[in-house]
Amino acid sequence: MGITSGFVLYAVIWFMTFLVVIPIRLETQGDAGAVVPGTHAGAPERHFLKQKAWITTGAAAVLWAIIAGVIWSGVISVNDFDWLNRLPDRP
C-alpha cells in the first residue's frame, strides 16, 4: 500500500466513522422544546460537531492502523477476493 492509497483508506474510514458518530447525543429542536417556525422538529438544536470530529479522528486512526496492518502483513490480499480466478497468482 502506497502513501496515496493509505491516505484514501484513512479518508474513507474517517467519513464512514463520522456518519456513524453524527447521530450520537444529537439534541433536536423537538427535544429542547423550542422549534423554530418553518423548521422540522427533528432539526438539530445542538450537534457537538467539533467534539464528534475529534472522536472520529481518533477512532479512524485506530481502525486505519488495524486495517493497514492486516493489508501490510499479507493476511488478506487482493487475490483472496478473486472469485473468478482472473488475477495471476502472486508469491
Side-chain angles (χ1 to χ4, degrees):
M1 177 169 52
I3 293 172
T4 304
S5 57
F7 178 74
V8 169
L9 178 65
Y10 181 78
V12 169
I13 292 170
W14 192 93
F15 279 104
M16 288 178 61
T17 307
F18 192 57
L19 291 174
V20 170
V21 170
I22 283 177
I24 298 172
R25 283 189 46 209
L26 180 68
E27 185 178 324
T28 64
Q29 291 180 7
D31 295 339
V35 179
V36 177
T39 62
H40 193 275
E45 178 70 26
R46 295 184 4 180
H47 44 70
F48 308 105
L49 277 181
K50 186 175 183 180
Q51 184 180 19
K52 290 178 182 182
W54 282 109
I55 292 168
T56 299
T57 302
V62 170
L63 290 172
W64 181 84
I66 292 169
I67 293 170
V70 169
I71 291 171
W72 282 327
S73 70
V75 174
I76 296 175
S77 69
V78 175
N79 288 335
D80 294 331
F81 299 102
D82 182 27
W83 296 299
L84 300 176
N85 293 323
R86 293 185 179 180
L87 294 175
D89 289 332
R90 296 180 86 179

